[in-house]
Amino acid sequence: MRKLLLLLIRFYQLAISPLLGRRCRFFPSCSEYTAEAIQKHGVWKGARLGAKRIARCHPWHPGGYDPVP
């Protein structure tokens, strides 16, 4: 499951993200954050952390440096 999610994130980074342009308010980007969270904390907790991060990515949030806990 972990490899599949990381593969899907990598596909997004290589195929879809370049078409959308750089829009992420955070460093590292949301996809990099989610991939690192999955590697560090496992599938369930990593995916939950990634989803929470993506939910914070909106025009009213200042963004900035936000490392994986």
Side-chain angles (χ1 to χ4, degrees):
M1 186 68 157
R2 180 183 299 204
K3 287 183 180 182
L4 176 63
L5 286 176
L6 293 174
L7 184 65
L8 289 172
I9 291 170
R10 190 68 181 145
F11 172 77
Y12 167 80
Q13 289 174 333
L14 294 174
I16 299 171
S17 183
L19 299 174
L20 300 175
R22 298 210 36 98
R23 295 184 179 190
C24 194
R25 304 179 155 282
F26 295 98
F27 179 80
S29 70
C30 293
S31 61
E32 291 170 351
Y33 179 93
T34 304
E36 185 179 341
I38 290 171
Q39 290 173 346
K40 190 173 186 179
H41 297 288
V43 171
W44 299 112
K45 186 174 180 181
R48 190 188 64 176
L49 287 169
K52 285 174 62 177
R53 169 73 173 290
I54 292 168
R56 289 192 315 258
C57 194
H58 54 75
W60 302 282
H61 194 284
Y65 181 65
D66 183 27
V68 176

